[in-house]
Amino acid sequence: MRILRKMAEMAANAKFRIKLLVSYFVLVSFIILILGFAYYQISSRNMLTNVRESLGNVVINNNQLLDEKLQYIRDKSEMLPIDNELYRVLTEVDASDNESLLKADRRITQILFKYFGGDTDMYASFILTPEYNFGNTARMFVMPQGFFASSLYRQAVAGKGDLVWIPTYRFAETLGEKDMSELTFEFSKLASAVKVLNLTFLDEKGIFHSLPQTMPKPILMVNLTTDYIGKLFADYAQQSEFQHLSYGIVDESGNVVIDSDPERVARLDAPSWLGEAMAKKNGSIQKVINGKRMVISFSRMESTGWISYIEIPVEDALQDLNALRRYSSFFLVVMLLVSIILAYVMSVYITKPISRMKKAMKLMERGNFHIHIPEHGRDEFGHLIRTFNHMNGRIQTLIEENYASRLREKEAELMALNLQLNPHFLYNTLTTLYWIAVENNQQEMSLIIHNLADMLQTSTRNKKETWPLRTDLDWLNKYIYIMSSRFENLFYVEMDVEESLLDMEVPKLFLQPFVENAIIHGLAEKEQGGKIGIKGWSDGDKVQFTVVDNGRGMDKEQIDKIRSGKAASTGMPNVEKRIKLLYGIQYGLDINSSEGNGTTILLRMGKQPGQQDRTEVQ
């Protein structure tokens, strides 16, 4: 704490130049570090995204090419069970006659070549029976006894006639060739596809034949090397710019089919992220593997269900960003040097005018407001000095204006109180006129004055922008009574408003302008028979009102003037604007009228007033 106190005391007592220099240093360092950090984070995020997309596309493309090859094998294997020649060869061969077996082997080899010989990348294909291995054994040979005792045969039987893909396995260990386990040979690690052949035959008479029940069903075995499966990934790894790229293919159980590390092939070495990849099928994830953050892009093969993946360290993906760190460090050093020079120059330039103002302020503390500092230059300091000098000349005037302003505020308050009294005075006057009319037995006049007084009182007491519909209709009925007294026998009004709406809040006097327009303009030329219909009803989440008259109506030009605000009438635009402000721009009014056919005004509003941005209304 003592050290912090001493540092704070030194900072408080330091000269302005030192403070300016340190502040420049801290500010520039902070800005550069923040900008560098932000740019690095954004760049690294974008670069990781691009790398993930690129690796994902590579995996998907490679899978598509592999799927095409493996699907070719599957398609061909579906044709073998209905091959008539293969059926005849296997049913006619004499397992006890070597010559018969050799002839059958040549014919079956030709049949296999017809189906699988077009793919030069395929290693070998056989049809195995307990007695013999039919096929081209030039590259490899599979003993029937070892095969039918192996897991390959059991998986083929479990497939029930479907082609079953077997992940990479060690040939000698899986097929029981113990003598070959210590040897190194070309096909020591294989991936295979096996299938039980449910052979059928259709003779010339159209009779369908299947293998005799006493005859064991032959097994198709197609062998693929790891190079066949992993060639595309190996080629990409050689051409890639990433130094520590690795790849592989694993099955659902975690058996390694291929791997960039040959020692892991044909092992049960499931990656920790395999479950997540199997659930997603395609995509990219980031995981910490052996203490390193890794980017893993993966895709599931449609033909086999295996997961192909490519993974690289995040450091490799961001290797191009190392240059950014060096440039940022160099830029920081340069900017710090520049900031020190600028801080020194600016401190000298700033301190002189500040010193002059400091002396002038001391004189002002003593009550001397007639100080004048010499003015030099048009910069901020020159403007500050001129403002300081002007302040001294104006200070007394400001004090006087402050007193005068307070007096005017008091006068304004008194005037506001007087204005508040005016409505009450007018209401009391109307009440006096009402009683005079009653005393003189002028009933019509007394009712008009009474209604007018109630209207005035209702309007002045309610200062809000809305009131209940019940209040608005009561006010409107009084207005209609006054107007019907003025225009005797000219019109009558029918009102049909749902009772459930009477307590809802509505804009004050929102129907009155339309009733007034109907009386003054719509029905003015009629001598009698005028009709005004007012209707209100609920329509889902909104409420609608109509004001209909049978007056002279309006043409399109008049309606356009009202909508554009060019017409003399201000009541209708005012109501529409208030509705939009209270309920939203989707509400308002529609005018439907034509000359000689009356006018219909439709008002649409919400059930509850709400806030609405003015920018949206305008």
Side-chain angles (χ1 to χ4, degrees):
M1 293 297 293
R2 289 183 178 180
I3 297 176
L4 293 176
R5 257 194 233 103
K6 287 184 178 180
M7 292 179 63
E9 186 177 351
M10 290 176 60
N13 298 328
K15 292 184 178 180
F16 179 76
R17 292 182 182 180
I18 301 299
K19 292 179 180 177
L20 187 62
L21 189 146
V22 173
S23 63
Y24 261 69
F25 182 87
V26 173
L27 179 63
V28 172
S29 302
F30 179 76
I31 292 175
I32 293 176
L33 290 174
I34 290 296
L35 290 178
F37 177 78
Y39 180 75
Y40 180 83
Q41 292 296 322
I42 294 172
S43 299
S44 62
R45 192 183 304 115
N46 292 339
M47 189 168 291
L48 276 176
T49 301
N50 293 335
V51 169
R52 290 169 65 172
E53 290 179 356
S54 175
L55 293 179
N57 290 334
V58 170
V59 174
I60 291 174
N61 291 337
N62 287 355
N63 272 8
Q64 289 177 347
L65 294 174
L66 274 174
D67 274 329
E68 289 178 3
K69 289 185 175 182
L70 300 182
Q71 188 62 41
Y72 171 82
I73 296 174
R74 181 181 295 276
D75 293 342
K76 293 299 182 181
S77 69
E78 298 295 331
M79 301 297 294
L80 276 174
I82 58 175
D83 190 292
N84 290 347
E85 184 180 0
L86 179 62
Y87 179 91
R88 286 195 297 269
V89 171
L90 288 174
T91 54
E92 294 173 0
V93 64
D94 183 0
S96 61
D97 185 0
N98 288 334
E99 184 178 357
S100 177
L101 288 171
L102 291 174
K103 289 180 180 180
D105 182 43
R106 285 194 294 271
R107 292 177 63 186
I108 291 177
T109 300
Q110 292 174 357
I111 293 172
L112 290 174
F113 184 81
K114 179 178 66 174
Y115 286 99
F116 302 109
D119 190 348
T120 56
D121 293 329
M122 193 179 304
Y123 195 75
S125 58
F126 307 105
I127 292 179
L128 295 106
T129 64
E131 297 83 13
Y132 201 81
N133 177 3
F134 299 98
N136 188 352
T137 57
R139 303 183 73 175
M140 66 176 292
F141 182 77
V142 177
M143 292 294 295
Q145 297 83 354
F147 174 81
F148 280 92
S150 69
S151 60
L152 301 183
Y153 173 70
R154 291 191 293 273
Q155 292 183 63
V157 173
K160 298 180 180 179
D162 291 332
L163 189 69
V164 179
W165 294 100
I166 309 297
T168 305
Y169 58 92
R170 297 184 184 278
F171 176 83
E173 296 174 4
T174 303
L175 296 177
E177 301 290 342
K178 297 181 179 179
D179 297 338
M180 301 176 63
S181 59
E182 301 297 328
L183 301 177
T184 300
F185 43 93
E186 185 181 25
F187 54 89
S188 60
K189 297 174 183 177
L190 293 173
S192 297
V194 294
K195 175 185 176 72
V196 174
L197 296 177
N198 297 312
L199 296 177
T200 59
F201 174 70
L202 189 65
D203 61 19
E204 293 82 357
K205 298 180 180 180
I207 300 174
F208 184 80
H209 302 272
S210 60
L211 287 177
Q213 293 183 356
T214 56
M215 181 178 179
K217 295 179 180 180
I219 307 295
L220 171 67
M221 180 180 184
V222 178
N223 298 309
L224 311 172
T225 63
T226 54
D227 292 339
Y228 177 89
I229 301 173
K231 186 176 184 302
L232 295 172
F233 290 96
D235 291 344
Y236 176 76
Q238 291 178 357
Q239 300 171 6
S240 174
E241 59 184 4
F242 302 115
Q243 297 179 357
H244 303 94
L245 180 145
S246 57
Y247 61 86
I249 298 177
V250 294
D251 71 352
E252 298 90 334
S253 303
N255 295 296
V256 178
V257 182
I258 65 163
D259 198 283
S260 52
D261 181 4
E263 295 299 323
R264 297 175 60 187
V265 176
R267 292 182 181 176
L268 182 61
D269 193 7
S272 58
W273 45 262
L274 180 60
E276 184 177 353
M278 292 297 295
K280 290 184 177 180
K281 295 185 179 181
N282 295 288
S284 295
I285 54 177
Q286 287 190 40
K287 293 289 182 182
V288 177
I289 301 175
N290 297 328
K292 287 186 177 182
R293 284 199 308 147
M294 306 292 289
V295 176
I296 306 156
S297 293
F298 56 87
S299 177
R300 186 174 183 178
M301 297 174 64
E302 295 293 335
S303 56
T304 61
W306 299 340
I307 291 290
S308 305
Y309 68 90
I310 296 177
E311 61 180 16
I312 61 169
V314 173
E315 292 181 0
D316 282 18
L318 302 179
Q319 58 187 352
D320 292 339
L321 291 179
N322 293 330
L324 177 63
R325 298 177 182 175
R326 295 193 295 270
Y327 294 145
S328 298
S329 302
F330 176 75
F331 184 65
L332 174 63
V333 173
V334 172
M335 288 301 298
L336 290 178
L337 293 175
V338 173
S339 68
I340 292 172
I341 297 172
L342 287 177
Y344 178 78
V345 174
M346 290 298 295
S347 64
V348 174
Y349 178 77
I350 292 172
T351 51
K352 287 185 179 179
I354 292 178
S355 297
R356 292 175 183 171
M357 292 187 65
K358 183 179 178 181
K359 293 177 182 178
M361 288 178 181
K362 286 183 178 180
L363 294 173
M364 287 181 64
E365 289 178 1
R366 299 171 186 173
N368 185 359
F369 297 103
H370 301 286
I371 305 166
H372 182 79
I373 303 175
E375 301 175 5
H376 300 287
R378 296 288 179 183
D379 59 2
E380 288 80 0
F381 288 107
H383 177 71
L384 183 61
I385 291 173
R386 286 192 296 273
T387 304
F388 181 84
N389 291 333
H390 182 68
M391 178 186 66
N392 288 325
R394 287 281 299 163
I395 193 166
Q396 294 298 331
T397 305
L398 290 174
I399 294 174
E400 294 175 0
E401 289 180 353
N402 185 39
Y403 285 117
S405 175
R406 291 188 178 183
L407 290 174
R408 286 194 294 272
E409 287 179 3
K410 295 294 183 182
E411 292 174 358
E413 290 178 5
L414 291 173
M415 186 178 296
L417 291 173
N418 290 332
L419 290 173
Q420 290 177 4
L421 294 175
N422 288 338
H424 297 287
F425 171 75
L426 183 57
Y427 172 71
N428 292 333
T429 302
L430 288 172
T431 304
T432 302
L433 291 174
Y434 165 74
W435 287 112
I436 292 173
V438 171
E439 290 175 0
N440 288 280
N441 201 25
Q442 295 179 349
Q443 294 182 358
E444 186 70 21
M445 180 61 69
S446 64
L447 287 175
I448 291 174
I449 294 173
H450 180 70
N451 285 333
L452 183 59
D454 285 350
M455 291 166 63
L456 177 63
Q457 188 179 33
T458 303
S459 300
T460 55
R461 283 183 178 177
N462 195 313
K463 304 297 183 183
K464 295 182 180 179
E465 200 168 0
T466 63
W467 60 14
L469 177 60
R470 188 188 308 277
T471 303
D472 198 84
L473 294 179
D474 183 62
W475 194 98
L476 183 62
N477 282 326
K478 291 180 172 61
Y479 172 79
I480 291 171
Y481 178 80
I482 294 172
M483 295 302 290
S484 62
S485 299
R486 176 184 172 187
F487 300 96
E488 190 173 358
N489 299 324
L490 174 63
F491 67 92
Y492 68 97
V493 178
E494 289 183 355
M495 193 173 296
D496 179 17
V497 177
E498 289 183 5
E499 188 173 353
S500 61
L501 302 178
L502 294 178
D503 293 323
M504 71 173 285
E505 291 287 317
V506 296
K508 292 171 63 175
L509 308 179
F510 75 107
L511 292 172
Q512 186 271 339
F514 306 104
V515 175
E516 181 180 355
N517 284 344
I519 297 171
I520 302 299
H521 302 290
L523 306 176
E525 297 179 358
K526 286 183 175 289
E527 295 182 359
Q528 59 182 1
K531 178 182 177 181
I532 300 174
I534 300 172
K535 186 177 180 181
W537 70 96
S538 176
D539 184 11
D541 58 349
K542 62 179 180 292
V543 179
Q544 301 193 67
F545 293 89
T546 57
V547 179
V548 183
D549 67 72
N550 61 346
R552 65 181 182 182
M554 296 180 287
D555 57 18
K556 186 177 182 301
E557 184 178 353
Q558 287 177 297
I559 296 174
D560 292 340
K561 284 184 179 180
I562 292 174
R563 290 192 175 282
S564 62
K566 295 180 180 179
S569 173
T570 59
M572 295 173 68
N574 177 272
V575 171
E576 181 170 32
K577 186 174 183 180
R578 284 194 293 149
I579 289 174
K580 291 183 180 296
L581 286 170
L582 287 170
Y583 300 100
I585 59 173
Q586 68 271 31
Y587 299 104
L589 64 89
D590 292 323
I591 303 173
N592 185 10
S593 182
S594 61
E595 287 189 287
N597 295 316
T599 301
T600 299
I601 305 295
L602 173 64
L603 295 97
R604 292 170 285 102
M605 62 180 67
K607 289 188 175 181
Q608 292 291 334
Q611 297 293 331
Q612 182 70 11
D613 292 339
R614 293 185 179 273
T615 52
E616 294 180 356
V617 174
Q618 298 174 353

